[in-house]
Amino acid sequence: MVELAKLGDREAFTRLAFELSDHLFAVAHRILRDFDAAGDALQVTLLRIWRDLPSLRDPDRFEAWAYRVLLRACQDQLRWGEGSLRDLQLR
């Protein structure tokens, strides 16, 4: 499914996002200790994953990569607050 999503298959990406969202949100909430901030971090994470997925070299590492993207989004949220969502640029 990761390979299909890498090729731009939105349905495949939606399935991947659905499978990971609860876990990603839980991790974000543990880090940020705020439901709204965790939701923002999750949204940024999913957008960054969609944007950068074509550059993922090893599809078998997708889940680990997704968690790294989430950790960076949480760090941004802690560092800059809501600006991290506002400054996200999609191609």
Side-chain angles (χ1 to χ4, degrees):
M1 195 169 351
V2 175
E3 285 292 342
L4 291 173
K6 278 184 69 165
L7 295 172
D9 185 325
R10 289 176 187 229
E11 187 175 320
F13 179 77
T14 300
R15 278 187 251 138
L16 288 170
F18 183 78
E19 289 174 9
L20 283 178
S21 288
D22 287 343
H23 294 283
L24 291 172
F25 180 84
V27 171
H29 184 256
R30 273 186 245 129
I31 293 169
L32 300 170
R33 299 174 188 234
D34 179 90
F35 281 102
D36 293 333
D40 288 347
L42 176 61
Q43 183 176 7
V44 168
T45 298
L46 294 175
L47 289 170
R48 287 178 180 172
I49 289 171
W50 173 254
R51 180 190 67 191
D52 297 337
L53 189 56
S55 67
L56 178 64
R57 292 183 206 148
D58 185 359
D60 293 334
R61 302 287 301 150
F62 172 76
E63 193 169 330
W65 175 71
Y67 280 99
R68 282 194 305 277
V69 174
L70 174 72
L71 292 176
R72 282 193 297 274
C74 288
Q75 289 172 336
D76 291 347
Q77 188 77 3
L78 290 169
R79 192 174 300 132
W80 297 301
E82 293 179 18
S84 62
L85 181 61
R86 188 174 48 248
D87 295 336
L88 179 67
Q89 295 180 0
L90 295 176
R91 293 180 202 157

